[in-house]
Amino acid sequence: MIAGAGLVGWQMLQSTMQSQRSTFDQSAEIARETTYFKEKIGTISSAEELVDDRRLLSVALAAFGMSDEIDSKYLIQRIIEEGADDNNSIANKLGDSRYITLAQAFDFQEITNYKTEEAGFGDPIFAAYEERMMVELEETLASPEYANDPVSSVLFRLQVESNISEQRDHFLTNIATVKSVEDLLDNYDLKSVVLKAFDLEDRANSTTLLKRVLSENPAKTGALSTVLGDPNMVALAETFAFYDVETKTVLETENFAENIVNEYKWQQFKSAVDEVDSSIGAALQFQKSIPDLSSSGISENAKWYSVLGSTVMREVFETALGLPSGFSQIDIDKQLEIIKEKADQRFGISTFSDLENENSMNKIIHGYLLQDQLAQGSAFGSQHIAMTLLSTIRYDN
């Protein structure tokens, strides 16, 4: 996996990363465990069920870098059950972001998904409404009243188009908040647009009829929309489908298992690297963590505080910057000041976003691995090591 230690091993790993990851991910054990997880996780409905299935729990914990907690079933169950919203929850009290992320990911609260919440749901409805409105506008403008008065005709058109534009913004913003038949029918503005879109304006005051139509599946025998033989009512019922809302936990969603499995594979690969050279494993973790942190929406200082709060990121920075062993003992605000100043002086990193640049990232990682290997010493002597390693460093200009 790694031919050489420290910086040399790192550069060789980087050049073969894609092929090594592909081979590793296809190994029998990884394939067996990930297949099991994907097939089973959607059937789990509680934290207790999760911790009672050791294979599932093993993959879940490994995905969050917590494999060493596999026997802490009671702790993990409580962390997941309590969640992370309450500042007094165990996940928050433990002071380790991994527990918080685990608690947030494995949320067993059921969520009901409505068609109205789907991206773009309201677009075709309003398009149909607008089309009918424009047809009516043209018919009105063709009447003698407007045909013989061009000024009034233009002003009337502009007013109607302006009204439609305002209605569009209101409708598309608010239709996603509709979660029931009552929500729709009790909102005059939304109901008016919907009924015109489906050419059902003459049914505006037939509240009881509309409730039944919207509540029944047209495909089932006896459904009112089908009995009435009105294709517009059938289309209305099928479009909103209040009779077929979907309730499920996040674990049953399409991407949940895939996301956990991808993290599991990466963590297993990183653990395999750790067994060969823990410093390269730390550099690998740093390389993965920094871009996510940099692109997050938190403030500049908050990003640096996150570095100081992470064992791996702190270790890489402290070593690369040559900070003393007692650095972590000084006031945290002073640590922040020093690490930002040193990063700028030594590597030209004036803002955290500079780390998104591959060259800047490499400078930190190479500096870390070089300093780490020098600190370990060697029978060849530190000066010889330094000369050898420096000759291998490659930076893009």
Side-chain angles (χ1 to χ4, degrees), residues 174-230:
N174 290 280
I175 194 64
T177 67
V178 171
K179 305 293 177 61
S180 67
V181 173
E182 289 73 22
D183 285 348
L184 176 61
L185 298 183
D186 289 346
N187 189 312
Y188 177 81
D189 292 335
L190 296 181
K191 182 179 75 170
S192 297
V193 171
V194 169
L195 293 183
K196 178 174 280 293
F198 287 90
D199 197 16
L200 293 169
E201 288 176 283
D202 59 330
R203 300 288 189 174
N205 295 320
S206 304
T207 303
T208 302
L209 179 145
L210 289 173
K211 279 186 177 180
R212 184 173 168 185
V213 166
L214 285 162
S215 300
E216 297 176 343
N217 185 346
K220 292 188 176 180
T221 303
L224 184 57
S225 60
T226 304
V227 171
L228 293 174
D230 188 335

Side-chain angles (χ1 to χ4, degrees), residues 111-151:
I111 302 171
T112 301
N113 298 302
Y114 300 89
K115 290 195 70 174
T116 53
E117 297 176 302
E118 296 175 359
F121 171 81
D123 292 333
I125 297 175
F126 195 84
Y129 167 80
E130 184 174 3
E131 182 179 354
R132 292 185 181 279
M133 287 292 292
M134 295 306 293
V135 168
E136 291 181 5
L137 172 62
E138 297 303 330
E139 291 175 350
T140 300
L141 294 179
S143 67
E145 178 184 357
Y146 288 101
N148 298 323
D149 188 349
V151 174

Side-chain angles (χ1 to χ4, degrees), residues 358-373:
E358 184 178 356
N359 194 36
S360 297
M361 172 77 76
N362 286 338
K363 287 179 181 179
I364 294 289
I365 292 176
H366 291 178
Y368 161 69
L369 293 171
L370 173 59
Q371 293 295 333
D372 179 77
Q373 194 165 0

Side-chain angles (χ1 to χ4, degrees), residues 203-270:
R203 300 288 189 174
N205 295 320
S206 304
T207 303
T208 302
L209 179 145
L210 289 173
K211 279 186 177 180
R212 184 173 168 185
V213 166
L214 285 162
S215 300
E216 297 176 343
N217 185 346
K220 292 188 176 180
T221 303
L224 184 57
S225 60
T226 304
V227 171
L228 293 174
D230 188 335
N232 292 336
M233 286 191 176
V234 171
L236 175 67
E238 291 178 338
T239 296
F240 283 88
F242 289 117
Y243 51 81
D244 189 30
V245 295
E246 186 177 40
T247 301
K248 58 185 178 182
T249 67
V250 67
L251 280 73
E252 298 174 277
T253 57
E254 183 177 354
N255 295 327
F256 181 83
E258 192 65 33
N259 290 338
I260 296 296
V261 162
N262 288 339
E263 285 299 313
Y264 167 75
K265 290 177 179 178
W266 189 89
Q267 287 288 350
Q268 293 299 91
F269 181 78
K270 188 257 182 185

Side-chain angles (χ1 to χ4, degrees), residues 9 13 52 83 94 101 175 287 315 335 355 388:
L13 175 62
D52 283 344
L94 289 173
T101 308
I175 194 64
Q287 185 184 53
E315 175 192 348
Q335 291 182 48
L355 287 164
T388 301

Side-chain angles (χ1 to χ4, degrees), residues 333-344:
D333 292 331
K334 189 63 177 177
Q335 291 182 48
L336 175 66
E337 179 185 337
I338 292 174
I339 198 170
K340 290 173 68 176
E341 180 183 343
K342 294 292 185 182
D344 189 12

Side-chain angles (χ1 to χ4, degrees), residues 308-345:
L308 295 172
S310 164
T311 302
V312 172
M313 288 192 287
R314 171 187 279 273
E315 175 192 348
V316 172
F317 263 109
E318 286 187 0
T319 304
L321 296 174
L323 296 171
S325 57
F327 176 71
S328 62
Q329 304 304 312
I330 67 176
D331 179 77
I332 188 67
D333 292 331
K334 189 63 177 177
Q335 291 182 48
L336 175 66
E337 179 185 337
I338 292 174
I339 198 170
K340 290 173 68 176
E341 180 183 343
K342 294 292 185 182
D344 189 12
Q345 291 176 349

